[in-house]
Amino acid sequence: MDNNLVFLFDLDGTITAEETLPKISKYFGIDAQIDILTQETLNGNIPFVESFIRRVDILKQIPVSDINNLLEEVRLFSVVVHFIRQHSNQCYIVTGNLTDWIEKLVSRIGCGFFASKGEVHNDRLIKLTEILKKEDVVKQFKKQGKTVVFIGDGNNDSEAMRESDISIACGLTHYPANSVLSVADYAVFSEASLLRLLHQIQSRQPGKSVILSCAGIGSRLGLGQTKALIELHGKKLIEIQLDSFRKMEDVRIVIGFQSNVIIQTVLKIRTDVIFVYNHDYFQTKTGASFYLGARHANEYAIAWDGDLLVHPEDIEKCLSFEGEYIGCSSIVSDDPVYIQTDADGQAIAFSYDSGVFEWSGPACLRSSNVKYVVDNVFNQIEELLPLTLLQIRARDIDTYEDYKNALHFTRGWK
Ligand SMILES: [Mg+2]
């Protein structure tokens, strides 16, 4: 386990299963004023600091202890709280909320915290004295040499997430703010996937992860959308892939172009996927996406391109094969990347000129062997050769001609 790690959690909507402010305002009958302010703030239309000052001003009328008592009862995500308690010396809550409002709630969770401060007199808030800038907390830990992981969902988390070493957009209560998604390394939408990811960041976990690369713009195909969203026989490619991986616990989807549409499509099918951002999707290829997906993946990472179609009878073989391998097929493409083999049938080189097989993917590698490349997965694999070859029936969809072939290839699949 990496003891140099520090986990910083936003409070509202990340640890609490309901936003605290609407709860306060509803309880004390001031919803109308507060709701508009909250929504506008979450949407990023009112700067956080201005919104916070205005909110505090409205809430000043309520005794501080009343808010403190009310928030102590707020519903929490039990799985998140459990993780925090188990690692309480590495976890902190970082919230813009006022210390005097959340002290009881935080002590119930059981870790250190950073919050805004105010001057209280006779149980009434007199004035604000400090508005917490979450990014300052991140910088402070980084100065101490810590590796900072930030988990948040709101607009006021985005700067802190940008400064963090690893940032997780958390969609447990509501869809994360756009500003958060635009800097996040990961996005998760269930407690199961958040917990799995936190453990993976802490230390390499046993087992396999599937890394499905869906970040590209699909320019050669020319259908104007990322390949994951094109349809074959009435089913989106991403739906076909998820069906193939339904038995795999750790499915990681690397997203870039049209990421929100992909997320929405996936969440209708399963919510425990870990989304990995390749923000540089226009300049990089699947090798970069695989690297990002494998960064905190389980011991073995299976590289699976979003447009790779494997015959149903061969999928199980790809997912359960023990150890490292690379997938190949007989020569089926117009413009293949060939695989050259040695006398034992091991893959020893890729070639544009000749070979017995065609590189098709997938590939299963030890995650720790996956290095960063800007181009293709096979460029990444080259220095790891020789590797075991796994022969399968597969197609990919690079061009419109490939698409038509794939329609033919997949006809009659269950
Ligand atoms: Mg929040």
Side-chain angles (χ1 to χ4, degrees), residues 10-14 19 153-154 157 174:
D10 163 49
L11 179 64
D12 273 46
T14 299
E19 296 282 336
D153 63 352
D157 296 314
H174 58 77

Side-chain angles (χ1 to χ4, degrees), residues 306-329:
D307 65 339
L308 172 65
L309 288 161
V310 174
H311 194 285
E313 288 164 17
D314 294 339
I315 287 171
E316 182 57 28
K317 184 156 87 173
C318 296
L319 298 178
S320 60
F321 189 87
E322 288 295 323
E324 294 188 311
Y325 72 82
I326 62 174
C328 70
S329 70

Side-chain angles (χ1 to χ4, degrees), residues 54-349:
R54 282 163 62 181
R55 278 189 267 174
V56 169
D57 204 54
I58 297 168
L59 294 169
K60 258 201 279 214
Q61 45 184 309
I62 306 164
V64 166
S65 59
D66 285 3
I67 298 181
N68 208 344
N69 290 332
L70 179 71
L71 291 189
E72 192 187 6
E73 304 300 320
V74 79
R75 277 188 296 123
L76 303 174
F77 288 114
S78 54
V79 168
V80 179
V81 171
H82 184 70
F83 177 89
I84 292 175
R85 285 184 187 147
Q86 274 188 315
H87 309 95
S88 56
N89 56 339
Q90 284 182 291
C91 294
Y92 297 87
I93 293 165
V94 183
T95 175
N97 259 310
L98 221 56
T99 300
D100 300 275
W101 292 344
I102 56 154
E103 268 175 328
K104 284 189 172 176
L105 170 60
V106 168
S107 72
R108 191 181 139 204
I109 299 166
C111 68
F113 74 102
F114 299 85
S116 299
K117 294 185 181 113
E119 200 178 303
V120 174
H121 193 67
N122 283 338
D123 206 18
R124 299 280 167 163
L125 178 70
I126 307 298
K127 63 171 183 182
L128 269 171
T129 54
E130 188 196 327
I131 299 175
L132 185 79
K133 282 168 85 181
K134 298 188 179 191
E135 57 271 32
D136 290 347
V137 179
V138 176
K139 287 177 194 165
Q140 188 184 316
F141 277 112
K142 285 183 79 172
K143 220 179 255 177
Q144 295 168 26
K146 298 288 186 187
T147 302
V148 178
V149 185
F150 197 101
I151 304 101
D153 63 352
N155 205 41
N156 66 327
D157 296 314
S158 60
E159 281 313 305
M161 289 171 74
R162 194 194 306 276
E163 293 290 333
S164 298
D165 298 287
I166 301 162
S167 57
I168 304 171
C170 184
L172 294 183
T173 308
H174 58 77
Y175 202 74
N178 281 329
S179 57
V180 161
L181 295 176
S182 69
V183 298
D185 296 306
Y186 295 105
V188 291
F189 296 84
S190 71
E191 283 192 273
S193 49
L194 175 57
L195 186 71
R196 185 173 354 113
L197 178 58
L198 293 173
H199 285 304
Q200 287 172 327
I201 290 170
Q202 272 187 321
S203 61
R204 187 74 75 194
Q205 300 292 309
K208 291 176 188 171
S209 302
V210 174
I211 318 293
L212 185 66
S213 291
C214 296
I217 64 171
S219 56
R220 285 171 65 200
L221 185 58
L223 291 179
Q225 53 185 349
T226 191
K227 290 185 206 171
L229 299 173
I230 61 167
E231 290 196 4
L232 286 166
H233 310 297
K235 245 185 162 181
K236 291 190 176 71
L237 209 41
I238 186 86
E239 295 169 340
I240 296 173
Q241 304 291 24
L242 285 174
D243 194 40
S244 307
F245 307 143
R246 62 189 181 280
K247 286 185 192 157
M248 302 295 286
E249 187 197 27
D250 192 38
V251 174
R252 302 170 141 244
I253 302 182
V254 187
I255 49 177
F257 187 56
Q258 294 188 292
S259 53
N260 284 325
V261 191
I262 295 182
I263 290 174
Q264 305 290 0
T265 308
V266 170
L267 291 181
K268 282 181 200 150
I269 300 167
R270 62 189 280 184
T271 56
D272 65 343
V273 163
I274 294 174
F275 295 93
V276 184
Y277 278 94
N278 178 359
H279 294 293
D280 204 15
Y281 62 86
F282 191 71
Q283 317 287 347
T284 63
K285 292 185 181 173
T286 51
S289 287
F290 183 43
Y291 165 80
L292 293 168
R295 206 154 63 115
H296 302 106
N298 292 344
E299 188 180 1
Y300 287 96
I302 302 176
W304 201 294
D305 285 358
D307 65 339
L308 172 65
L309 288 161
V310 174
H311 194 285
E313 288 164 17
D314 294 339
I315 287 171
E316 182 57 28
K317 184 156 87 173
C318 296
L319 298 178
S320 60
F321 189 87
E322 288 295 323
E324 294 188 311
Y325 72 82
I326 62 174
C328 70
S329 70
S330 52
I331 314 289
V332 288
S333 304
D334 294 335
D335 199 12
V337 173
Y338 296 99
I339 295 176
Q340 298 181 334
T341 53
D342 65 10
D344 300 325
Q346 291 242 27
I348 50 167

Side-chain angles (χ1 to χ4, degrees), residues 333-374:
S333 304
D334 294 335
D335 199 12
V337 173
Y338 296 99
I339 295 176
Q340 298 181 334
T341 53
D342 65 10
D344 300 325
Q346 291 242 27
I348 50 167
F350 293 101
S351 162
Y352 285 114
D353 303 320
S354 65
V356 189
F357 298 107
E358 157 173 358
W359 153 246
S360 62
C364 180
L365 302 177
R366 275 186 179 279
S367 300
S368 55
N369 283 340
V370 181
K371 300 290 181 292
Y372 181 80
V373 294
V374 290

